[in-house]
Amino acid sequence: IIDIIATYLTQQDLAHCLCVNHEWHTTLTPSFWRVVRVVDETILDRFRTKETEEALCRNCHHIRVAETTDLGFLRFLATHRNLATTNLQSLTLRLWKEKKAQPQSSPPEPSFSPSSDNNPDISEIAPTPSVTAVLTESGISTTTGCVVTEAAWMVQMLLRRSKNLHTLSLDEGCFRNTINSIGDDETGNRDEFHTVFSVIPTAYLERLEISFLGAPALPGRPSEQQNLVERTKHAVDRIKHAASFHQSYEPFLALKELVIKGSYTTLMDSSRQAFLVRCPNVETLCINRLDPFTIFTMPPFLQYTCPKLSSLDWIRGTMDSDENIAELLRASVLGWRVLRLPMMFWFGSLALEALMESIETLEELRIEGCGQLRKNAILDLLCSAKNLRRLESVADGKRTEETIELKLHAYEAYLEHVEGQMDRTWALGPSIEFLQLKLLGVPRPDVWYNQTGQRLVDLNAEMDVALRFEVQRWIYTQLSRLTGVQELVLGITDFDQEALTNYGLSPPSTTTLEAEAGTFEEDLATVFVGEWIRAVGRVEGVEDVGREEDGASDRD
């Protein structure tokens, strides 16, 4: 129970608890030292006094979660004899960016400095080397703090003694055997990626994150001027060669989630993908800023190496071609269960066709934007995704001028359903929990909006008046089947000047425009959602719903 309670306490709360008495100090010390982060500072900055150095050396065997950007703290974790070999459960190393020199200043006092009254009898504890001693014996300058050599060797040493890791996050700086100055292209350019991977513990590792952001050009790569055939052949050869190396090591059988970050402007060495042969049970893949050539070469390799892959989280917008996007969307053998896609300007018919191949298994879909789809192409998905639970577009507050979100024009969809002799009835039903869709073309012939005494522009003026009520009934019938929905977003809540301009609004100031936009959108939402609520559960009786307003009914 004490361990559970401790998870709700901040580091400062725990520090105060340690000072209560000897019993509290003994009981809560493991919780206080469970998480240690040395980020954007050095180990000597963090543990500045003799007392805090001794406390770290004495209690480092309690550390379960470690995160650092400091090579000195990495060496301490890798070499200190008090660190047990199976205690560390989560390790995050961010070594690539060199810490810029900061003016000399007095660092803040540590949040906790064990006092003699609250510490157990030090004479009963075997003497341990100080932090300074560990760094000095290992050849680290304790005056400059960041001139360190053999970073990859230290990472390997730490990984060999961390057999119980559940989560591991490494960046490009962890794969350099000699680093005198992080980011220096002349030093530290020897790639130890495959060697480091050979010692990563496999027994319990569930989540692995690899960042290649900032990686320099690696030797032996084809130039970007080579044609696609030559570059692809070169990539396949390098993958095969590296894969034979990785196949001689134990697979990551417990690994379920894999995160790969790249540098969009720098081509990643294709041989880096070879470690995937050791990931047969990966279910979730998260990719961020991978270069177009990697997006092109990775899908067939994923199909072969990760047959259980069912979730893709693609972060940040991309200018990848429709063909490349389509190939990546075909990388799942079982079919995607979860797809989270960024704004993709070239997402078109090929990508949609590939997405539709997973329509039977798809439960969650987020598309922040797709630029090349034909109008109402999303209707194909709505009419097929019977197991879909969530359909999301771009989140509020994240729209940009380039965002092209999911849209459905109800009037034109109805014409497809009737005149096109196609069944456009939605497959969505009670299973849907969240639906976000920009719904256009729902006519309201009995409602008019006025601004400063003049009527707003009627965007539905070109619709056949005789079909207006039929379109309403059809769209409300589709929505009435969503009996399990918990959140419904059928427009946008972000401020959208273009939408208001289309309706003929020309406010004198931004403040006025925002106020008018809020009232205008609220009125639209009230009308639309009011009709939908009354339609729910009355599929057969929607035609009978009516409301008199100033002598005009919904049927007029």
Side-chain angles (χ1 to χ4, degrees), residues 71-80 138 140 148-149 153-154:
L71 289 161
F73 186 54
L74 168 61
R75 185 175 290 272
F76 174 83
L77 293 173
T79 60
H80 197 279
S138 302
I140 295 179
V148 185
T149 59
W153 171 81
M154 290 188 290

Side-chain angles (χ1 to χ4, degrees), residues 220-396:
R221 273 192 332 185
S223 67
E224 297 190 30
Q225 285 71 35
Q226 287 179 290
N227 63 49
L228 185 60
V229 175
E230 292 177 344
R231 288 166 61 186
T232 303
K233 183 178 183 301
H234 187 276
V236 171
D237 291 341
R238 289 185 64 82
I239 291 175
K240 287 182 177 179
H241 178 74
S244 63
F245 169 83
H246 284 279
Q247 285 176 327
S248 62
Y249 293 92
E250 292 184 3
F252 298 102
L253 295 180
L255 189 63
K256 302 297 182 183
E257 183 178 357
L258 178 62
V259 181
I260 304 177
K261 298 180 180 180
S263 176
Y264 188 79
T265 57
T266 303
L267 297 185
M268 187 176 78
D269 184 358
S270 54
S271 68
R272 293 279 182 97
Q273 303 177 38
F275 78 92
L276 291 171
V277 301
R278 299 175 61 192
C279 308
N281 295 327
V282 166
E283 298 174 358
T284 300
L285 174 65
C286 177
I287 57 176
N288 186 357
R289 294 183 61 83
L290 291 186
D291 60 89
F293 189 62
T294 299
I295 295 294
F296 172 74
T297 57
M298 180 178 285
F301 199 50
L302 283 173
Q303 288 182 323
Y304 171 72
T305 59
C306 304
K308 297 183 180 180
L309 191 62
S310 61
S311 179
L312 174 64
D313 193 355
W314 193 345
I315 301 175
R316 298 200 183 183
T318 173
M319 293 297 290
D320 291 286
S321 67
D322 191 22
E323 294 84 352
N324 285 1
I325 297 172
E327 288 304 311
L328 185 58
L329 293 181
R330 290 192 173 97
S332 175
V333 176
L334 299 178
W336 297 110
R337 186 177 58 83
V338 177
L339 274 176
R340 302 187 183 101
L341 307 177
M343 170 61 201
M344 297 170 289
F345 182 78
W346 295 108
F347 188 105
S349 58
L350 295 178
L352 180 63
E353 180 182 346
L355 188 154
M356 293 294 291
E357 293 177 9
S358 296
I359 202 66
E360 295 294 328
T361 58
L362 197 60
E363 297 179 11
E364 182 178 335
L365 174 63
R366 183 187 70 204
I367 304 181
E368 294 185 356
C370 38
Q372 301 299 317
L373 283 181
R374 61 177 175 81
K375 182 181 281 189
N376 277 0
I378 195 65
L379 191 57
D380 294 336
L381 187 145
L382 297 177
C383 295
S384 306
K386 58 184 178 181
N387 295 317
L388 197 64
R389 293 187 299 104
R390 296 183 66 88
L391 176 60
E392 304 177 43
S393 186
V394 61
D396 290 330

Side-chain angles (χ1 to χ4, degrees), residues 479-483 532-542:
L479 293 172
S480 71
R481 297 191 180 97
L482 312 183
T483 55
W532 174 73
I533 291 174
R534 294 197 294 163
V536 170
R538 300 187 58 183
V539 177
E540 299 297 328
V542 172

Side-chain angles (χ1 to χ4, degrees), residues 448-458 503-506 520:
W448 302 101
Y449 294 91
N450 291 279
Q451 171 72 14
T452 61
Q454 297 183 6
R455 178 174 294 181
L456 297 178
V457 176
D458 185 1
Y503 280 95
L505 288 174
S506 300
F520 181 65

Side-chain angles (χ1 to χ4, degrees), residues 390-505:
R390 296 183 66 88
L391 176 60
E392 304 177 43
S393 186
V394 61
D396 290 330
K398 293 188 177 181
R399 289 178 178 81
T400 65
E401 294 180 356
E402 291 78 24
T403 300
I404 307 174
E405 58 190 307
L406 300 179
K407 299 178 182 178
L408 178 67
H409 196 283
Y411 181 83
E412 296 182 5
Y414 174 75
L415 293 182
E416 281 190 38
H417 179 71
V418 178
E419 298 178 1
Q421 298 181 348
M422 301 174 62
D423 185 3
R424 298 313 243 165
T425 302
W426 296 4
L428 304 181
S431 63
I432 195 79
E433 300 171 0
F434 182 99
L435 177 63
Q436 180 181 0
L437 185 66
K438 193 169 183 179
L439 193 55
L440 308 172
V442 181
R444 285 295 311 237
D446 62 322
V447 177
W448 302 101
Y449 294 91
N450 291 279
Q451 171 72 14
T452 61
Q454 297 183 6
R455 178 174 294 181
L456 297 178
V457 176
D458 185 1
L459 300 184
N460 301 323
E462 297 181 0
M463 297 181 184
D464 186 347
V465 177
L467 294 177
R468 286 188 167 193
F469 177 72
E470 296 300 325
V471 174
Q472 290 183 55
R473 181 174 60 176
W474 182 77
I475 195 66
Y476 294 143
T477 299
Q478 312 308 313
L479 293 172
S480 71
R481 297 191 180 97
L482 312 183
T483 55
V485 71
Q486 299 177 18
E487 187 170 352
L488 184 66
V489 183
L490 297 175
I492 58 174
T493 57
D494 282 346
F495 172 66
D496 188 345
Q497 169 137 13
E498 181 182 356
L500 295 175
T501 302
N502 289 339
Y503 280 95
L505 288 174

Side-chain angles (χ1 to χ4, degrees), residues 38 54 289:
V38 182
E54 291 176 351
R289 294 183 61 83

